[in-house]
Amino acid sequence: MNDRPAISVSRIIWVGAGLMAMAAAGVVLYLYNPETAGFYPVCAVHQLTGLQCPGCGSLRALHQLTHGNIAAAWHFNPLLIVLLPMGIWLGLREAVRWVFGWRWPGIIARPIVGWSIVVAMIVFGIVRNIP
């Protein structure tokens, strides 16, 4: 008897559409620099307070990553560079689970990891605003 669920074509289409949307966003980030293009959203926290939130600089960092400039990306938002591989792993893991029903190892999905990320974001948000 086969314990695996049937592969859902509609779920494959949804995951494919999500991957195509992310690829399109990557192409836009590659072609248009967030420092000069005027259509990217601005940070509400920075606009209201003048402080940088933990996500400030993420678009500029991703733009630099699309061009292979890891050092420049690190300059704009080191927290994003540290968390990006983890986010990619979790996204792939959940997509495979959702479409195929396969369970990949979930060590970074434990609650302590999530709480550690929250604490890191708070500390990073405070430290990056110390003059």
Side-chain angles (χ1 to χ4, degrees), residues 34-102:
E35 292 184 286
T36 56
F39 59 86
Y40 289 105
V42 295
C43 177
V45 172
H46 189 265
Q47 287 288 100
L48 293 173
T49 66
L51 299 173
Q52 291 187 335
C53 76
C56 279
S58 293
L59 283 173
R60 290 173 288 167
L62 288 172
H63 173 75
Q64 292 300 323
L65 278 179
T66 62
H67 289 273
N69 302 328
I70 297 172
W74 181 269
H75 168 75
F76 286 120
N77 194 322
L79 186 65
L80 173 78
I81 305 309
V82 170
L83 293 180
L84 193 59
M86 188 181 305
I88 291 170
W89 169 258
L90 286 173
L92 282 173
R93 179 179 172 264
E94 288 306 305
V96 166
R97 183 193 58 77
W98 191 60
V99 172
F100 300 107
W102 303 338

